[in-house]
Amino acid sequence: MAEISLKQVVKNYGRTPVVHGIDLEIADNEFVVLVGPSGCGKSTTLRMIAGLEDISDGEIRIRGRLVNDLPPRKRNISMVFQNYALYPHMSVRDNLGFGLKIAGQSKKVVAERVDEAAGILGLSELLDRLPAELSGGQRQRVAMGRAIVRHPDAFLFDEPLSNLDAKLRGQMRAEIKKLHQKVASTIVYVTHDQIEAMTLADRIVVMRDGHIDQVGTPMEVFNHPANTFVAAFIGSPPMNQLPATLDDGRLRLGDGTAIALPTRLRERVRAGQKLILGVRPDDISPEGHGLLEEGEHDTIDLEVDIAEPLGMESLIYSRLAGQEVLAKLYGPRLLSPGERLTCRVALTRAHLFDADTGRNLEAD
Amino acid sequence: MFRAIRTRQTTLAPLVLLLPAFTVMLFVVAMPLAFSFYTSLTPYRLTRPESIEIYIGARNYIRLWDNAAFWAAFWRTILFLAIALNVELLLGLGIALLINKLTWGQRTLRTIMMFPMMFSPILVGFQFKFIFNDNIGIVNNALQSLGLIDRAIPWLVDAQLAMFSIIVAEVWMSTSIFAILLLAGLLAMPRDPIEAARVDGCNSWQVFRHIPLPFLMPFIFIAMTIRSLDVARAYDIVHVMTGGGPAGRTELLWTLIARVGYNNARMGEANAMAYVSTLLSIAFTVFFFRKLMAARRYMGGAE
Ligand SMILES: Nc1ncnc2c1ncn2[C@@H]1O[C@H](COP(=O)(O)OP(=O)(O)OP(=O)(O)O)[C@@H](O)[C@H]1O
Ligand SMILES: [Mg+2]
């Protein structure tokens, strides 16, 4: 398998830059997920690695070899497209074997590898059908099978699950994870679904407007978001972000509510700095109903607007300093709108961001 | 009782509604067809109307069997068809592929491409008759001015060259049909499978050979079906450019049939020839139509 390296890679369409010089090192056998909102340049980046788009500037190496000017066929990579891109006039068998046939493999090798891939993906019964005669999930598996039969250096996936319904998506997500364990391989996977990113990735690359905002393991990205954008993008429901200022060693919100400044952040803030306090809903809970009750905390009063029972927990919608705030209640208990709750805010897991740059004060 | 009326109404209504169509078909298609078939079984001559009443069975058809001029025209028509269709296909495909590459001015070019189809074949015939004229034609003039030849080439007089000239005119007029149908096919083609094939290891030729070409096959067969009917009844251009000459060397089926039927007034015999050549057309059409149906399967069409 192979490592992939991007150095200062730039893509311009005409005069419009869409990818602004990104750097990324992908290790051998690593599962890397590119995640970000629509139009941020994920597909473009992937297609540059595949060789389907020219690189305007910078370097891409696969297995140490500079591939800037190599056509896709010489890069030995496989790609799974968002709408599968199966060959409509070929049976499933021919779709799977096409790449091998083109590579000049003998009929016997082609048949063996096709059978092997069909076995892994549960396609053995469907080999003689045409793509038009398959369901969405089956087509998706054919597209994956077509990628794995070739034993490529790396796999590229461009939102392979976005056309499936929620249940199938969950199933296929597990399949892809299993596949990565079965067929050791380098995978670059594009999605705008943060749950897919969290569950699949060895490392997540969060992109925005053609830049990389943060690279890290799912837990790093979740626990230490580099800026407000990453904080809002990763995690569901998203992190509460409350504008605050430093006042007499405490954080003061717009409506005057005061919250203690987490001890570990004391050295990081400057007097008069405009800040954003970031707290996940899981870390604001009524007393006795929290996830993490030890450690440094402070309390605030919240009035319940709406409560959504989710079974093991309830999501509480409330307002604080003129904006919506989400909190969570663990351990079942009935809540009624208008009820006032004293909530604990877990300061050990709260973040402070600079309001002007959006950067996490703890990011280096 | 109420129900009985209803059922009678529902069985009768479709028939009543179809009646006008059937009537038209009967008078416009079926009766002339039957009549002309009957005349092909008589020694009918336009100059002797009473000859239409003499029934001679299949004698016209049997005589065709050893009519050398007829068979020469028959095979020449097939050759003409084969050459013209293949050249038109290749040129049309090339043009369609080039236009498909354009990102700018595609619409204008598409419109311009239709121009040859807007002229009457007769006018195209006259135009090419002039172009290939050995004394004043621009082809000879151009070749001579460039010093490529020193004597006029008898484009429309030499048998082989005359055939060639007619094919050029035919190709000029009709290549755009192929180009437009194939361009429609290319525009309808999804881009992703092409990219998938490139990643799967294909070079440009392999991509074309395995992805767009099979996708275009139905469009090619549609164009072939339409054009094989067209070319099989080619008359105007040949009539204008060479009149079937020199010495019958560019005679195609329909110029021969028209000559026998109208100039020699032997309508019975001409109709027998016409029936045989219609069978030829049908054979070509059925052939391409079969191919079309087979190719349409994977495009989600007829199963
Ligand atoms: N052929 C093109 N010409 C001009 N601009 C383009 C072209 N293709 C993409 N873009 C622009 O480049 C930007 C990045 O596109 P890209 O397809 O990489 O987004 P993405 O992150 O994959 O989004 P999505 O999640 O919607 O697929 C977008 O703003 C898009 O409008
Ligand atoms: Mg995309």
Side-chain angles (χ1 to χ4, degrees):
Chain A
M1 294 295 142
E3 60 283 343
I4 300 171
S5 133
L6 280 69
K7 281 213 181 66
Q8 283 302 309
V9 172
V10 173
K11 176 71 192 181
N12 306 317
Y13 281 115
R15 224 169 283 153
T16 327
V18 293
V19 173
H20 311 261
I22 57 173
D23 290 300
L24 184 61
E25 295 294 328
I26 298 166
D28 199 13
N29 285 345
E30 195 177 18
F31 197 133
V32 166
V33 175
L34 304 186
V35 67
S38 191
C40 70
K42 310 179 293 287
S43 300
T44 307
T45 306
L46 199 71
R47 292 166 56 82
M48 286 193 288
I49 298 175
L52 293 170
E53 297 286 353
D54 293 333
I55 302 163
S56 306
D57 198 14
E59 282 185 0
I60 295 185
R61 288 173 192 275
I62 299 175
R63 227 187 202 165
R65 184 174 57 145
L66 187 69
V67 296
N68 282 22
D69 298 317
L70 286 188
R73 72 194 151 95
K74 299 214 171 126
R75 299 190 182 196
N76 195 26
I77 31 97
S78 285
M79 183 153 171
V80 177
F81 294 79
Q82 181 166 1
N83 30 21
Y84 320 133
L86 301 181
Y87 308 126
H89 54 289
M90 295 185 201
S91 67
V92 170
R93 188 190 307 279
D94 292 341
N95 262 285
L96 293 177
F98 183 69
L100 295 172
K101 207 179 90 189
I102 290 295
Q105 299 282 3
S106 71
K107 282 216 170 89
K108 189 165 150 279
V109 174
V110 176
E112 273 171 20
R113 296 246 210 114
V114 166
D115 285 341
E116 182 197 11
I120 292 177
L121 293 164
L123 291 169
S124 305
E125 310 294 309
L126 308 172
L127 285 176
D128 294 312
R129 300 234 195 129
L130 287 172
E133 301 161 345
L134 299 177
S135 74
Q138 290 166 337
R139 279 179 215 182
Q140 209 282 332
R141 276 182 294 174
V142 177
M144 252 163 43
R146 194 170 61 179
I148 64 175
V149 287
R150 283 180 38 228
H151 298 186
D153 281 345
F155 293 97
L156 309 178
F157 289 81
D158 192 355
E159 309 205 18
L161 306 185
S162 58
N163 283 344
L164 304 180
D165 65 48
K167 179 154 171 265
L168 206 51
R169 202 179 307 158
Q171 269 172 20
M172 291 308 297
R173 205 162 61 208
E175 296 273 338
I176 292 178
K177 188 133 195 175
K178 266 191 248 159
L179 189 75
H180 181 232
Q181 284 155 4
K182 238 186 282 186
V183 189
S185 47
T186 309
I187 295 183
V188 186
Y189 186 107
V190 163
T191 180
H192 58 241
D193 177 354
Q194 56 95 20
I195 296 182
E196 260 171 48
M198 292 294 285
T199 50
L200 289 173
D202 290 330
R203 271 196 309 158
I204 291 180
V205 177
V206 185
M207 290 186 67
R208 171 170 56 145
D209 294 340
H211 295 280
I212 291 180
D213 268 20
Q214 188 172 9
V215 181
T217 64
M219 285 336 277
E220 279 166 7
V221 175
F222 185 83
N223 288 330
H224 306 287
N227 56 33
T228 48
F229 172 76
V230 178
F233 196 80
I234 302 286
S236 160
M239 184 184 282
N240 297 302
Q241 298 191 5
L242 301 161
T245 47
L246 201 60
D247 178 25
D248 202 12
R250 292 171 68 77
L251 295 167
R252 197 163 295 280
L253 306 184
D255 64 346
T257 314
I259 296 178
L261 176 68
T263 339
R264 68 178 207 284
L265 291 170
R266 240 170 235 164
E267 304 302 315
R268 305 257 179 181
V269 288
R270 283 178 284 110
Q273 189 176 14
K274 278 196 217 139
L275 299 165
I276 288 176
L277 172 66
V279 191
R280 294 201 183 273
D282 308 74
D283 298 326
I284 307 179
S285 300
E287 296 201 287
H289 291 275
L291 198 55
L292 177 105
E293 302 256 290
E294 317 81 59
E296 197 186 358
H297 71 270
D298 198 357
T299 54
I300 49 173
D301 278 348
L302 290 179
E303 189 182 309
V304 178
D305 279 346
I306 304 171
E308 284 181 347
L310 301 173
M312 290 300 288
E313 69 219 45
S314 294
L315 196 57
I316 301 165
Y317 290 80
S318 173
R319 296 192 78 76
L320 186 61
Q323 77 184 70
E324 184 163 79
V325 167
L326 271 67
K328 264 193 186 169
L329 170 114
Y330 287 88
R333 142 154 137 62
L334 232 56
L335 292 168
S336 40
E339 190 176 339
R340 293 200 69 81
L341 299 168
T342 305
C343 290
R344 290 167 69 108
V345 179
L347 294 180
T348 43
R349 296 199 292 192
H351 302 276
L352 277 183
F353 303 93
D354 184 288
D356 296 323
T357 63
R359 282 175 62 81
N360 192 327
L361 297 191
E362 287 174 295
D364 355 291
Chain B
M1 198 189 99
F2 192 63
R3 186 186 248 163
I5 290 171
R6 249 237 311 262
T7 42
R8 253 185 68 184
Q9 259 181 357
T10 48
T11 48
L12 267 183
L15 291 181
V16 172
L17 290 174
L18 279 173
L19 202 58
F22 276 128
T23 319
V24 171
M25 290 283 280
L26 186 69
F27 281 96
V28 175
V29 180
M31 288 196 8
L33 212 59
F35 177 71
S36 66
F37 183 68
Y38 166 74
T39 59
S40 77
L41 304 176
T42 69
Y44 180 41
R45 277 168 168 267
L46 291 179
T47 46
R48 273 195 264 130
E50 74 282 1
S51 58
I52 201 169
E53 285 161 24
I54 311 166
Y55 179 77
I56 56 166
R59 204 184 302 159
N60 276 331
Y61 289 91
I62 295 165
R63 264 212 238 122
L64 272 192
W65 192 248
D66 9 73
N67 183 339
F70 173 76
W71 288 109
F74 184 89
W75 292 115
R76 196 176 292 121
T77 304
I78 291 188
L79 186 71
F80 179 68
L81 209 73
I83 296 178
L85 288 188
N86 281 301
V87 172
E88 284 172 24
L89 168 62
L90 289 180
L91 286 179
L93 184 60
I95 293 174
L97 287 172
L98 286 177
I99 293 189
N100 190 41
K101 284 255 181 242
L102 289 182
T103 46
W104 187 86
Q106 206 188 71
R107 280 155 175 267
T108 322
L109 255 181
R110 272 190 333 232
T111 315
I112 291 176
M113 217 166 57
M114 312 277 284
F115 284 174
M117 287 158 62
M118 292 171 6
F119 298 113
S120 146
I122 303 258
L123 293 182
V124 174
F126 277 122
Q127 192 58 38
F128 274 89
K129 189 176 186 178
F130 160 69
I131 288 174
F132 283 116
N133 186 294
D134 41 357
N135 292 320
I136 55 160
I138 56 167
V139 174
N140 274 349
N141 249 315
L143 289 176
Q144 275 170 333
S145 309
L146 288 171
L148 292 174
I149 53 170
D150 43 14
R151 261 187 306 140
I153 298 179
W155 289 108
L156 296 175
V157 180
D158 178 86
Q160 250 94 50
L161 287 179
M163 204 65 210
F164 169 82
S165 308
I166 291 172
I167 289 177
V168 169
E170 185 73 35
V171 166
W172 180 85
M173 193 174 65
S174 304
T175 292
S176 48
I177 296 186
F178 274 89
I180 283 167
L181 278 170
L182 296 187
L183 184 60
L186 285 174
L187 292 177
M189 186 173 57
R191 288 207 55 76
D192 284 2
I194 294 182
E195 297 192 329
R198 289 177 63 198
V199 175
D200 252 354
C202 291
N203 59 32
S204 316
W205 162 247
Q206 286 168 326
V207 170
F208 177 72
R209 153 91 186 63
H210 291 287
I211 315 297
L213 192 60
F215 186 87
L216 282 182
M217 271 341 247
F219 295 85
I220 291 178
F221 290 132
I222 290 172
M224 284 282 189
T225 312
I226 297 174
R227 286 293 296 144
S228 64
L229 281 174
D230 260 10
V231 186
R233 46 162 221 227
Y235 172 79
D236 1 35
I237 288 190
V238 183
H239 183 77
V240 169
M241 284 178 73
T242 65
R249 291 295 175 75
T250 55
E251 194 86 277
L252 298 183
L253 278 175
W254 287 102
T255 55
L256 178 69
I257 292 166
R259 189 188 317 286
V260 172
Y262 301 119
N263 298 14
N264 306 351
R266 297 213 300 269
M267 212 26 129
E269 193 183 335
N271 274 338
M273 288 180 178
Y275 266 91
V276 175
S277 54
T278 305
L279 287 182
L280 177 68
S281 285
I282 292 177
F284 264 91
T285 310
V286 168
F287 173 74
F288 287 128
F289 205 70
R290 283 260 171 84
K291 294 243 172 203
L292 171 63
M293 281 314 177
R296 263 188 49 183
R297 197 167 88 90
Y298 56 78
M299 294 185 66
E303 175 62 359

